[in-house]
Amino acid sequence: MKRPIKKTVYSILEKDKYARQDDNYLIMRVVQRLEPNLAGTTFVEVMQNLTYKGISLEGITRARRSFFTEYPELRVKTAEQARREKEQEYYLEYSRR
């Protein structure tokens, strides 16, 4: 069964600023919206049932990256800045060798 993951992720990211910052929160919100009966179960049960319910964690994160490619102005500045600083640190470390 194919789920409307991309459309669901886009609607959550448009409305919820915290979901733009935290992937785990975004995944939780997508699961709550697409499968509300899984939301109250244990983590193990959720993980075991996601594949059978047609929800892919990779699909959710892929849709998030696609969303930020289309709407870069909604990207959280602190997360983007932290990523750039980490990348800069990597380049500096690489250049010292």
Side-chain angles (χ1 to χ4, degrees):
M1 169 174 31
K2 182 135 170 102
R3 295 295 188 128
I5 291 178
K6 185 174 181 178
K7 188 167 79 170
T8 305
V9 169
Y10 274 47
S11 70
I12 291 171
L13 288 173
E14 286 173 356
K15 297 173 188 167
D16 193 345
K17 186 175 181 179
Y18 187 67
R20 296 179 207 151
Q21 297 174 354
D22 189 359
D23 283 347
N24 294 325
Y25 178 76
L26 174 62
I27 291 168
M28 179 194 70
R29 291 289 313 271
V30 170
V31 171
Q32 283 177 338
R33 186 166 301 171
L34 294 178
E35 282 296 325
N37 58 339
L38 281 180
T41 61
T42 66
F43 177 75
V44 174
E45 290 178 36
V46 170
M47 294 307 291
Q48 289 174 341
N49 288 315
L50 282 182
T51 305
Y52 300 117
K53 300 292 184 178
I55 301 172
S56 167
L57 298 180
E58 293 85 8
I60 295 170
T61 56
R62 188 179 313 116
R64 181 188 59 81
R65 289 189 302 269
S66 173
F67 176 83
F68 286 129
T69 301
E70 292 180 29
Y71 304 102
E73 66 277 1
L74 293 178
R75 184 179 299 256
V76 178
K77 302 297 185 231
T78 56
E80 179 67 21
Q81 183 178 3
R83 185 192 62 76
R84 286 184 183 173
E85 288 174 1
K86 196 72 166 168
E87 187 175 302
Q88 181 70 22
E89 182 181 314
Y90 170 78
Y91 285 125
L92 289 173
E93 181 69 26
Y94 181 77
S95 67
R96 291 182 188 141
R97 293 186 181 169

